[in-house]
Amino acid sequence: MAAERGVAAEALVGQVVLPGDLLLLPAHYDEDAEGERLRLSAGAAPQGRLLCGPGLRRSGAGLLVTKCGLLRHRPAGGGAYWVDSQQKRYVPVKGDHVIGIVTAKAGDVFRLDVGGSEPASLSYLAFEGATKRNRPNVQVGDLIYGQFVVANKDMEPEMVCIDSSGKSSGMGIIGQDGFLFKVSLGLIRKLLAPKCEIIQELSQLYPFELVLGMNGRIWVKAKTVQQTLIIVNILEACEYMTAEQRKQALAKLSGN
Amino acid sequence: DGELCSACPGDTSVLAGLYGPAEAKLSKELPDRAALEVLLRPKVGLPGVLERSREQLLRQTCEAVLLGALHPRTAVSLVLQVLSDAGSLLSCCLNAACMALLDAGLPLAALFCGVTCALQPDGAILLDPTARQEQEARTTLTFAIASSDRRVLMATTKGSCSVEEMQQCLAAAQRAASTIFQFYRDSVRRRYSKS
Protein backbone atom coordinates (compact mmCIF):
# COMPACT_ATOMS: atom_id res chain seq x y z
CA MET A 1 0.00 0.00 0.00
CA ALA A 2 1.74 3.17 -1.18
CA ALA A 3 1.98 5.82 1.49
CA GLU A 4 1.22 9.36 0.45
CA ARG A 5 4.43 11.32 0.01
CA GLY A 6 4.43 15.10 0.11
CA VAL A 7 2.14 17.26 -1.98
CA ALA A 8 3.36 20.56 -3.37
CA ALA A 9 2.55 23.38 -0.99
CA GLU A 10 1.12 25.70 -3.61
CA ALA A 11 -1.46 23.14 -4.64
CA LEU A 12 -3.02 23.09 -1.18
CA VAL A 13 -3.23 26.83 -0.44
CA GLY A 14 -6.77 27.66 0.64
CA GLN A 15 -7.66 24.01 1.29
CA VAL A 16 -8.07 21.98 4.44
CA VAL A 17 -4.92 20.23 5.66
CA LEU A 18 -4.70 17.65 8.46
CA PRO A 19 -1.84 16.86 10.86
CA GLY A 20 0.60 14.45 9.31
CA ASP A 21 0.36 15.92 5.79
CA LEU A 22 3.74 16.65 4.30
CA LEU A 23 4.10 19.74 2.10
CA LEU A 24 6.89 20.00 -0.45
CA LEU A 25 8.43 23.36 -1.21
CA PRO A 26 9.64 24.45 -4.64
CA ALA A 27 13.31 23.85 -5.29
CA HIS A 28 14.62 27.40 -5.09
CA TYR A 29 13.85 27.62 -1.38
CA ASP A 30 16.11 24.67 -0.69
CA GLU A 31 18.97 26.23 -2.57
CA ASP A 32 19.16 29.23 -0.32
CA ALA A 33 18.50 27.24 2.80
CA GLU A 34 21.55 24.98 2.46
CA GLY A 35 24.76 26.76 3.31
CA GLU A 36 25.35 30.47 3.31
CA ARG A 37 25.80 31.51 -0.28
CA LEU A 38 26.77 35.04 -1.08
CA ARG A 39 24.81 36.45 -3.95
CA LEU A 40 26.86 38.60 -6.28
CA SER A 41 23.87 40.42 -7.71
CA ALA A 42 21.85 41.67 -4.81
CA GLY A 43 18.11 41.21 -5.09
CA ALA A 44 18.09 39.20 -8.33
CA ALA A 45 16.89 35.91 -6.94
CA PRO A 46 13.90 35.52 -4.61
CA GLN A 47 14.91 36.25 -1.02
CA GLY A 48 14.77 32.65 0.06
CA ARG A 49 13.94 33.01 3.76
CA LEU A 50 10.64 31.19 3.94
CA LEU A 51 8.59 31.85 7.06
CA CYS A 52 7.00 28.77 8.60
CA GLY A 53 4.00 29.99 10.59
CA PRO A 54 1.66 28.52 13.20
CA GLY A 55 0.56 24.97 12.50
CA LEU A 56 3.64 24.01 10.48
CA ARG A 57 7.03 22.55 11.37
CA ARG A 58 10.11 22.07 9.22
CA SER A 59 10.85 18.44 8.50
CA GLY A 60 13.60 17.55 6.08
CA ALA A 61 12.94 19.20 2.74
CA GLY A 62 9.37 20.12 3.45
CA LEU A 63 6.86 21.30 6.02
CA LEU A 64 4.91 18.98 8.30
CA VAL A 65 1.38 20.10 9.16
CA THR A 66 0.68 19.85 12.91
CA LYS A 67 -2.80 21.43 13.17
CA CYS A 68 -5.92 21.05 11.07
CA GLY A 69 -7.16 24.09 9.21
CA LEU A 70 -6.91 26.04 5.97
CA LEU A 71 -3.45 26.54 4.49
CA ARG A 72 -2.64 30.17 3.78
CA HIS A 73 0.22 31.75 1.85
CA ARG A 74 1.62 35.25 1.67
CA PRO A 75 4.05 35.77 -1.20
CA ALA A 76 5.52 39.06 0.08
CA GLY A 77 8.99 39.18 1.64
CA GLY A 78 10.25 35.72 0.83
CA GLY A 79 6.94 34.00 1.35
CA ALA A 80 5.16 32.69 4.42
CA TYR A 81 2.95 29.65 4.91
CA TRP A 82 0.69 29.09 7.88
CA VAL A 83 -2.39 27.14 8.93
CA ASP A 84 -5.54 29.08 9.83
CA SER A 85 -7.16 26.97 12.55
CA GLN A 86 -10.12 27.50 14.88
CA GLN A 87 -9.18 27.30 18.51
CA LYS A 88 -10.52 28.42 21.86
CA ARG A 89 -7.50 27.92 24.12
CA TYR A 90 -4.89 30.70 23.97
CA VAL A 91 -1.12 30.10 24.01
CA PRO A 92 0.95 33.25 24.82
CA VAL A 93 2.96 34.66 21.93
CA LYS A 94 5.48 37.51 22.14
CA GLY A 95 4.08 40.80 20.91
CA ASP A 96 0.39 39.87 21.25
CA HIS A 97 -1.90 42.44 22.87
CA VAL A 98 -4.13 40.72 25.43
CA ILE A 99 -6.61 41.53 28.19
CA GLY A 100 -5.53 40.15 31.56
CA ILE A 101 -7.35 39.96 34.89
CA VAL A 102 -5.29 40.80 38.00
CA THR A 103 -5.40 37.84 40.38
CA ALA A 104 -2.72 38.69 42.92
CA LYS A 105 -0.19 41.31 43.97
CA ALA A 106 3.11 39.74 44.94
CA GLY A 107 5.54 42.41 46.10
CA ASP A 108 6.48 44.50 43.09
CA VAL A 109 4.77 42.32 40.54
CA PHE A 110 1.14 41.68 39.59
CA ARG A 111 -0.05 38.21 38.56
CA LEU A 112 -2.48 38.28 35.64
CA ASP A 113 -4.72 35.56 34.31
CA VAL A 114 -4.47 35.66 30.50
CA GLY A 115 -6.21 32.39 29.73
CA GLY A 116 -3.03 30.41 29.09
CA SER A 117 -1.47 27.61 31.07
CA GLU A 118 0.39 29.97 33.45
CA PRO A 119 -0.40 33.34 35.01
CA ALA A 120 1.61 36.19 33.45
CA SER A 121 3.60 38.67 35.49
CA LEU A 122 3.46 42.46 35.16
CA SER A 123 5.85 44.75 36.96
CA TYR A 124 4.42 47.91 38.54
CA LEU A 125 7.09 49.95 36.72
CA ALA A 126 5.80 48.83 33.30
CA PHE A 127 3.18 51.58 33.10
CA GLU A 128 3.58 54.99 31.49
CA GLY A 129 4.86 57.52 33.98
CA ALA A 130 5.31 54.99 36.79
CA THR A 131 8.20 55.44 39.21
CA LYS A 132 9.01 53.89 42.56
CA ARG A 133 7.24 56.77 44.29
CA ASN A 134 4.38 57.04 41.78
CA ARG A 135 2.79 53.59 41.72
CA PRO A 136 -0.16 52.73 39.48
CA ASN A 137 -3.46 52.18 41.24
CA VAL A 138 -4.12 48.53 40.38
CA GLN A 139 -6.40 46.34 42.50
CA VAL A 140 -7.12 42.61 42.37
CA GLY A 141 -9.87 42.03 39.81
CA ASP A 142 -8.91 44.93 37.53
CA LEU A 143 -8.65 44.47 33.76
CA ILE A 144 -5.35 45.32 32.10
CA TYR A 145 -4.66 45.63 28.37
CA GLY A 146 -0.99 44.97 27.66
CA GLN A 147 1.42 43.12 25.42
CA PHE A 148 3.81 40.25 25.99
CA VAL A 149 7.56 40.93 26.05
CA VAL A 150 8.52 37.41 27.05
CA ALA A 151 6.38 34.49 25.94
CA ASN A 152 7.94 31.13 25.15
CA LYS A 153 7.29 27.61 26.21
CA ASP A 154 10.08 27.49 28.79
CA MET A 155 9.52 30.68 30.78
CA GLU A 156 6.70 32.36 32.62
CA PRO A 157 5.07 34.95 30.34
CA GLU A 158 5.76 38.62 31.16
CA MET A 159 3.61 41.56 30.14
CA VAL A 160 4.11 45.30 29.95
CA CYS A 161 1.76 48.22 29.39
CA ILE A 162 4.23 50.44 27.53
CA ASP A 163 5.71 50.05 24.08
CA SER A 164 9.40 50.22 23.18
CA SER A 165 9.48 54.04 23.31
CA GLY A 166 7.94 54.24 26.78
CA LYS A 167 4.49 55.45 25.70
CA SER A 168 1.36 53.61 26.70
CA SER A 169 -0.35 53.81 23.24
CA GLY A 170 -3.72 52.66 24.47
CA MET A 171 -2.50 50.04 26.94
CA GLY A 172 -2.99 50.10 30.70
CA ILE A 173 -5.83 49.64 33.14
CA ILE A 174 -9.25 49.34 31.52
CA GLY A 175 -11.79 51.62 33.18
CA GLN A 176 -14.84 50.89 35.27
CA ASP A 177 -18.10 49.39 33.98
CA GLY A 178 -18.25 47.63 30.66
CA PHE A 179 -18.61 43.91 30.03
CA LEU A 180 -15.88 41.29 29.50
CA PHE A 181 -16.62 38.06 27.62
CA LYS A 182 -14.78 35.34 25.77
CA VAL A 183 -14.98 34.28 22.13
CA SER A 184 -12.91 31.99 19.94
CA LEU A 185 -9.53 33.13 18.65
CA GLY A 186 -10.64 32.97 15.03
CA LEU A 187 -13.36 35.57 15.59
CA ILE A 188 -10.84 37.96 17.20
CA ARG A 189 -8.58 37.67 14.18
CA LYS A 190 -11.53 38.36 11.91
CA LEU A 191 -12.49 41.45 13.93
CA LEU A 192 -8.91 42.74 13.94
CA ALA A 193 -8.62 42.58 10.16
CA PRO A 194 -8.51 46.04 8.61
CA LYS A 195 -11.93 47.41 7.54
CA CYS A 196 -13.88 44.74 9.40
CA GLU A 197 -17.52 44.87 8.30
CA ILE A 198 -18.91 43.72 11.64
CA ILE A 199 -17.39 46.63 13.56
CA GLN A 200 -18.43 49.17 10.94
CA GLU A 201 -22.01 47.93 10.99
CA LEU A 202 -22.12 47.91 14.78
CA SER A 203 -20.72 51.42 15.05
CA GLN A 204 -23.65 52.68 12.98
CA LEU A 205 -26.00 51.14 15.53
CA TYR A 206 -24.75 52.64 18.83
CA PRO A 207 -21.54 54.41 19.86
CA PHE A 208 -19.43 52.10 22.04
CA GLU A 209 -15.90 51.43 23.29
CA LEU A 210 -14.31 48.13 22.38
CA VAL A 211 -11.07 46.42 23.48
CA LEU A 212 -10.05 43.20 21.70
CA GLY A 213 -7.53 40.88 23.33
CA MET A 214 -5.77 38.25 21.25
CA ASN A 215 -6.48 35.75 24.03
CA GLY A 216 -10.12 35.66 22.99
CA ARG A 217 -11.37 38.28 25.45
CA ILE A 218 -13.46 41.27 24.41
CA TRP A 219 -14.42 44.24 26.61
CA VAL A 220 -17.38 46.38 25.52
CA LYS A 221 -18.85 49.53 27.01
CA ALA A 222 -21.81 51.47 25.62
CA LYS A 223 -23.97 54.23 27.08
CA THR A 224 -26.55 52.01 28.79
CA VAL A 225 -26.45 48.44 30.09
CA GLN A 226 -29.01 47.30 27.52
CA GLN A 227 -26.99 48.62 24.58
CA THR A 228 -23.88 46.92 26.00
CA LEU A 229 -25.67 43.59 26.26
CA ILE A 230 -27.07 43.87 22.74
CA ILE A 231 -23.58 44.46 21.35
CA VAL A 232 -22.23 41.53 23.38
CA ASN A 233 -24.91 39.20 22.03
CA ILE A 234 -24.29 40.25 18.45
CA LEU A 235 -20.53 39.76 18.75
CA GLU A 236 -20.97 36.32 20.29
CA ALA A 237 -23.44 35.30 17.60
CA CYS A 238 -21.21 36.62 14.80
CA GLU A 239 -19.20 33.44 14.92
CA TYR A 240 -22.05 31.35 13.64
CA MET A 241 -24.04 33.83 11.57
CA THR A 242 -23.44 34.50 7.91
CA ALA A 243 -23.17 38.09 6.69
CA GLU A 244 -26.80 38.03 5.51
CA GLN A 245 -28.18 36.92 8.85
CA ARG A 246 -26.10 39.54 10.63
CA LYS A 247 -27.39 42.35 8.42
CA GLN A 248 -30.96 41.20 9.04
CA ALA A 249 -30.43 41.14 12.80
CA LEU A 250 -28.89 44.62 12.81
CA ALA A 251 -31.65 46.00 10.59
CA LYS A 252 -34.25 44.65 13.02
CA LEU A 253 -32.45 46.26 15.95
CA SER A 254 -31.94 49.66 14.38
CA GLY A 255 -35.60 49.65 13.37
CA ASN A 256 -36.69 49.37 17.03
CA ASP B 1 -10.45 22.85 24.34
CA GLY B 2 -12.43 20.51 22.10
CA GLU B 3 -15.47 18.29 22.37
CA LEU B 4 -16.67 15.56 20.15
CA CYS B 5 -19.14 12.72 19.93
CA SER B 6 -18.00 9.62 18.07
CA ALA B 7 -20.29 6.96 16.65
CA CYS B 8 -19.25 3.55 15.35
CA PRO B 9 -21.39 1.02 13.51
CA GLY B 10 -23.86 -0.59 15.82
CA ASP B 11 -24.69 2.54 17.80
CA THR B 12 -21.65 2.61 20.03
CA SER B 13 -21.08 6.23 20.95
CA VAL B 14 -18.56 8.01 23.13
CA LEU B 15 -18.38 11.69 24.08
CA ALA B 16 -14.87 13.09 24.33
CA GLY B 17 -13.82 16.38 25.91
CA LEU B 18 -10.28 17.71 25.80
CA TYR B 19 -8.99 20.47 28.08
CA GLY B 20 -5.59 21.97 27.62
CA PRO B 21 -2.82 22.97 27.62
CA ALA B 22 -3.76 24.12 31.11
CA GLU B 23 -1.91 24.66 34.38
CA ALA B 24 -0.59 21.42 35.84
CA LYS B 25 -0.36 20.54 39.52
CA LEU B 26 3.23 20.65 40.74
CA SER B 27 3.19 16.94 41.52
CA LYS B 28 2.08 16.04 38.00
CA GLU B 29 3.98 18.48 35.83
CA LEU B 30 6.79 17.23 33.59
CA PRO B 31 9.71 19.59 32.87
CA ASP B 32 10.09 18.84 29.19
CA ARG B 33 6.65 17.98 27.82
CA ALA B 34 2.91 18.14 28.43
CA ALA B 35 1.43 15.67 30.94
CA LEU B 36 -1.48 13.87 29.31
CA GLU B 37 -4.21 12.40 31.47
CA VAL B 38 -7.07 10.24 30.18
CA LEU B 39 -10.28 9.53 32.11
CA LEU B 40 -12.74 6.97 30.78
CA ARG B 41 -16.15 6.86 32.41
CA PRO B 42 -18.42 3.85 31.73
CA LYS B 43 -22.11 4.27 31.11
CA VAL B 44 -23.14 2.79 34.45
CA GLY B 45 -21.17 2.18 37.59
CA LEU B 46 -17.80 3.39 38.74
CA PRO B 47 -14.68 3.07 36.61
CA GLY B 48 -12.93 -0.23 37.31
CA VAL B 49 -9.81 -2.07 36.30
CA LEU B 50 -10.93 -2.49 32.68
CA GLU B 51 -11.41 1.27 32.31
CA ARG B 52 -8.02 1.93 33.87
CA SER B 53 -6.25 -0.39 31.43
CA ARG B 54 -8.07 1.22 28.51
CA GLU B 55 -7.09 4.66 29.79
CA GLN B 56 -3.44 3.63 29.76
CA LEU B 57 -3.71 2.30 26.19
CA LEU B 58 -5.36 5.53 25.04
CA ARG B 59 -2.79 7.63 26.88
CA GLN B 60 0.15 5.84 25.29
CA THR B 61 -1.38 6.14 21.82
CA CYS B 62 -2.10 9.86 22.23
CA GLU B 63 1.37 10.56 23.62
CA ALA B 64 2.91 8.93 20.56
CA VAL B 65 1.34 11.53 18.26
CA LEU B 66 1.07 14.59 20.48
CA LEU B 67 3.98 17.05 20.20
CA GLY B 68 4.17 17.53 23.95
CA ALA B 69 7.57 19.18 23.82
CA LEU B 70 5.91 22.37 22.59
CA HIS B 71 4.02 22.77 25.87
CA PRO B 72 6.25 21.78 28.79
CA ARG B 73 4.92 21.95 32.35
CA THR B 74 1.30 21.94 31.21
CA ALA B 75 -1.47 19.39 31.63
CA VAL B 76 -3.75 18.08 28.91
CA SER B 77 -6.87 16.22 30.15
CA LEU B 78 -8.95 13.97 27.94
CA VAL B 79 -12.28 12.87 29.41
CA LEU B 80 -14.31 10.18 27.64
CA GLN B 81 -17.88 9.30 28.58
CA VAL B 82 -19.43 6.13 27.16
CA LEU B 83 -22.95 6.94 25.99
CA SER B 84 -23.84 3.52 24.59
CA ASP B 85 -21.85 0.34 24.09
CA ALA B 86 -22.74 -2.04 21.27
CA GLY B 87 -19.32 -3.52 20.54
CA SER B 88 -15.93 -2.17 19.33
CA LEU B 89 -15.78 0.23 22.27
CA LEU B 90 -12.00 0.71 22.40
CA SER B 91 -11.69 1.65 18.74
CA CYS B 92 -14.61 4.05 19.15
CA CYS B 93 -12.77 5.67 22.08
CA LEU B 94 -9.61 5.95 19.95
CA ASN B 95 -11.48 7.68 17.13
CA ALA B 96 -13.17 10.06 19.58
CA ALA B 97 -9.82 10.85 21.21
CA CYS B 98 -8.20 11.64 17.87
CA MET B 99 -11.01 13.94 16.77
CA ALA B 100 -10.98 15.71 20.14
CA LEU B 101 -7.23 16.34 19.76
CA LEU B 102 -7.86 17.63 16.24
CA ASP B 103 -10.74 19.86 17.32
CA ALA B 104 -8.84 21.40 20.22
CA GLY B 105 -5.96 22.51 18.00
CA LEU B 106 -3.17 20.72 19.85
CA PRO B 107 -0.05 20.12 17.74
CA LEU B 108 0.01 16.55 16.39
CA ALA B 109 2.63 14.71 14.36
CA ALA B 110 0.02 12.47 12.72
CA LEU B 111 -3.58 11.33 13.12
CA PHE B 112 -4.63 7.90 14.35
CA CYS B 113 -7.73 5.74 14.22
CA GLY B 114 -8.91 2.61 15.96
CA VAL B 115 -10.06 -0.57 14.19
CA THR B 116 -11.38 -3.73 15.87
CA CYS B 117 -11.13 -7.17 14.24
CA ALA B 118 -12.91 -10.29 15.41
CA LEU B 119 -11.67 -13.73 14.36
CA GLN B 120 -14.55 -16.15 13.97
CA PRO B 121 -14.09 -19.79 15.00
CA ASP B 122 -14.05 -20.71 11.28
CA GLY B 123 -11.21 -18.23 10.54
CA ALA B 124 -13.21 -15.42 8.93
CA ILE B 125 -12.17 -11.84 9.81
CA LEU B 126 -14.91 -9.40 10.84
CA LEU B 127 -14.18 -5.68 11.13
CA ASP B 128 -16.02 -3.53 13.73
CA PRO B 129 -17.91 -6.42 15.32
CA THR B 130 -21.06 -5.92 17.35
CA ALA B 131 -21.14 -7.02 20.99
CA ARG B 132 -22.68 -10.37 20.07
CA GLN B 133 -20.08 -11.06 17.36
CA GLU B 134 -17.32 -10.17 19.84
CA GLN B 135 -18.64 -12.71 22.30
CA GLU B 136 -18.89 -15.47 19.72
CA ALA B 137 -15.47 -14.74 18.24
CA ARG B 138 -12.39 -16.72 19.11
CA THR B 139 -10.17 -13.63 19.34
CA THR B 140 -10.77 -9.88 19.29
CA LEU B 141 -7.91 -7.60 18.23
CA THR B 142 -7.89 -3.81 18.40
CA PHE B 143 -5.30 -1.75 16.52
CA ALA B 144 -4.50 1.95 16.61
CA ILE B 145 -3.13 2.93 13.19
CA ALA B 146 -1.35 6.20 12.41
CA SER B 147 -2.04 8.21 9.28
CA SER B 148 1.64 8.47 8.30
CA ASP B 149 2.54 5.24 6.47
CA ARG B 150 -0.20 3.35 8.32
CA ARG B 151 2.11 2.52 11.22
CA VAL B 152 0.70 0.55 14.14
CA LEU B 153 0.69 2.62 17.33
CA MET B 154 -1.06 0.18 19.62
CA ALA B 155 -2.27 -3.43 19.38
CA THR B 156 -4.24 -5.29 22.01
CA THR B 157 -5.63 -8.81 21.84
CA LYS B 158 -8.29 -10.67 23.76
CA GLY B 159 -8.03 -14.41 23.16
CA SER B 160 -5.34 -16.26 21.28
CA CYS B 161 -4.43 -16.46 17.61
CA SER B 162 -1.49 -17.44 15.43
CA VAL B 163 1.04 -14.95 14.08
CA GLU B 164 -0.25 -15.33 10.48
CA GLU B 165 -3.81 -14.61 11.56
CA MET B 166 -2.66 -11.51 13.38
CA GLN B 167 -0.81 -10.30 10.28
CA GLN B 168 -3.95 -10.84 8.19
CA CYS B 169 -6.06 -8.90 10.68
CA LEU B 170 -3.47 -6.13 10.69
CA ALA B 171 -3.55 -5.86 6.90
CA ALA B 172 -7.35 -5.72 6.90
CA ALA B 173 -7.28 -3.05 9.61
CA GLN B 174 -4.78 -0.92 7.68
CA ARG B 175 -7.05 -1.03 4.63
CA ALA B 176 -10.04 -0.03 6.73
CA ALA B 177 -8.08 2.80 8.31
CA SER B 178 -8.03 4.68 5.00
CA THR B 179 -11.83 4.95 5.09
CA ILE B 180 -11.71 6.41 8.59
CA PHE B 181 -9.02 8.97 7.68
CA GLN B 182 -11.10 10.03 4.69
CA PHE B 183 -14.04 10.54 7.07
CA TYR B 184 -11.84 12.75 9.29
CA ARG B 185 -10.86 14.82 6.27
CA ASP B 186 -14.47 15.21 5.13
CA SER B 187 -15.74 16.28 8.53
CA VAL B 188 -12.95 18.84 8.95
CA ARG B 189 -13.68 20.13 5.47
CA ARG B 190 -17.36 20.50 6.35
CA ARG B 191 -16.48 22.38 9.50
CA TYR B 192 -14.21 24.87 7.78
CA SER B 193 -16.56 25.39 4.87
CA LYS B 194 -19.12 27.01 7.18
CA SER B 195 -16.91 29.92 8.25
Side-chain angles (χ1 to χ4, degrees):
Chain A
M1 182 143 118
E4 189 192 316
R5 279 292 131 216
V7 185
E10 292 110 359
L12 286 176
V13 172
Q15 294 191 22
V16 164
V17 287
L18 291 179
D21 291 349
L22 196 61
L23 304 173
L24 293 174
L25 298 169
H28 65 206
Y29 285 126
D30 283 344
E31 243 176 63
D32 291 327
E34 289 164 4
E36 315 288 309
R37 281 148 95 143
L38 289 176
R39 296 218 156 257
L40 291 174
S41 53
Q47 291 90 351
R49 283 270 311 250
L50 177 70
L51 199 59
C52 181
L56 296 171
R57 284 178 78 74
R58 281 193 183 274
S59 109
L63 299 174
L64 180 69
V65 179
T66 56
K67 290 193 190 179
C68 73
L70 298 163
L71 185 67
R72 303 272 187 224
H73 175 57
R74 186 188 69 200
Y81 284 100
W82 72 95
V83 177
D84 208 355
S85 66
Q86 290 173 357
Q87 252 180 284
K88 287 193 238 166
R89 171 73 63 165
Y90 178 67
V91 171
V93 170
K94 183 173 168 179
D96 266 1
H97 291 256
V98 295
I99 299 180
I101 306 175
V102 181
T103 52
K105 281 204 262 194
D108 292 337
V109 148
F110 305 116
R111 293 248 166 269
L112 298 172
D113 164 39
V114 290
S117 60
E118 274 182 298
S121 72
L122 170 65
S123 161
Y124 74 96
L125 289 172
F127 290 84
E128 183 174 8
T131 59
K132 287 196 184 156
R133 301 254 177 112
N134 181 18
R135 290 173 180 243
N137 183 15
V138 173
Q139 306 303 324
V140 172
D142 277 353
L143 297 176
I144 308 253
Y145 182 63
Q147 64 176 345
F148 285 113
V149 288
V150 171
N152 54 46
K153 61 184 168 78
D154 300 308
M155 293 165 63
E156 180 193 50
E158 289 175 27
M159 278 178 64
V160 290
C161 288
I162 49 174
D163 59 15
S164 47
S165 61
K167 300 266 185 284
S168 71
S169 61
M171 295 187 274
I173 308 171
I174 297 179
Q176 295 297 314
D177 305 332
F179 191 94
L180 178 79
F181 61 103
K182 192 166 185 322
V183 293
S184 78
L185 308 185
L187 179 63
I188 298 278
R189 289 198 295 261
K190 211 171 20 169
L191 290 170
L192 280 172
K195 294 200 190 44
C196 173
E197 286 179 349
I198 306 175
I199 304 220
Q200 282 173 349
E201 287 170 17
L202 275 176
S203 58
Q204 282 161 6
L205 194 63
Y206 309 120
F208 60 93
E209 273 180 74
L210 181 71
V211 180
L212 298 167
M214 294 289 292
N215 52 347
R217 291 183 182 162
I218 305 184
W219 179 85
V220 181
K221 180 175 165 184
K223 277 207 201 115
T224 68
V225 175
Q226 267 162 338
Q227 290 179 357
T228 309
L229 289 174
I230 290 174
I231 296 174
V232 166
N233 286 332
I234 294 182
L235 284 170
E236 275 178 338
C238 268
E239 259 198 273
Y240 306 110
M241 285 202 291
T242 61
E244 283 308 313
Q245 289 168 328
R246 195 178 62 233
K247 288 189 175 60
Q248 280 173 9
L250 285 169
K252 223 170 20 164
L253 279 168
S254 53
N256 286 358
Chain B
D1 296 0
E3 293 168 352
L4 196 81
C5 183
S6 166
C8 289
D11 301 323
T12 309
S13 63
V14 171
L15 187 65
L18 192 118
Y19 306 100
E23 191 152 8
K25 283 193 247 193
L26 271 175
S27 57
K28 292 205 180 138
E29 71 174 14
L30 297 167
D32 58 340
R33 55 195 166 85
L36 178 64
E37 182 190 31
V38 180
L39 294 167
L40 177 60
R41 299 264 174 267
K43 186 173 171 199
V44 286
L46 291 170
V49 175
L50 188 58
E51 278 74 37
R52 291 274 170 265
S53 73
R54 285 187 173 147
E55 283 170 13
Q56 289 308 311
L57 291 171
L58 284 160
R59 195 177 63 80
Q60 280 158 7
T61 313
C62 293
E63 281 199 343
V65 296
L66 183 66
L67 295 172
L70 292 176
H71 298 288
R73 300 180 328 279
T74 61
V76 176
S77 306
L78 178 62
V79 181
L80 296 148
Q81 171 66 56
V82 178
L83 298 175
S84 65
D85 182 4
S88 314
L89 183 62
L90 185 54
S91 56
C92 191
C93 292
L94 281 164
N95 293 335
C98 183
M99 293 219 81
L101 283 168
L102 205 57
D103 199 41
L106 284 169
L108 301 173
L111 295 176
F112 61 89
C113 74
V115 183
T116 311
C117 293
L119 265 180
Q120 306 282 49
D122 59 359
I125 298 178
L126 260 177
L127 288 178
D128 286 331
T130 61
R132 189 197 194 105
Q133 287 165 338
E134 270 182 0
Q135 269 177 339
E136 290 168 352
R138 186 163 39 103
T139 315
T140 313
L141 302 108
T142 307
F143 300 104
I145 296 176
S147 62
S148 54
D149 295 345
R150 305 288 181 265
R151 285 180 304 140
V152 178
L153 293 174
M154 188 270 295
T156 180
T157 315
K158 185 172 157 193
S160 64
C161 64
S162 70
V163 176
E164 291 82 23
E165 283 167 341
M166 185 173 181
Q167 294 294 335
Q168 282 171 357
C169 286
L170 186 52
Q174 282 171 332
R175 277 193 297 271
S178 309
T179 327
I180 304 184
F181 290 131
Q182 189 55 41
F183 171 71
Y184 287 171
R185 202 171 280 273
D186 291 339
S187 31
V188 172
R189 212 169 265 157
R190 243 196 334 257
R191 184 178 175 213
Y192 281 90
S193 69
K194 281 187 203 155
S195 52

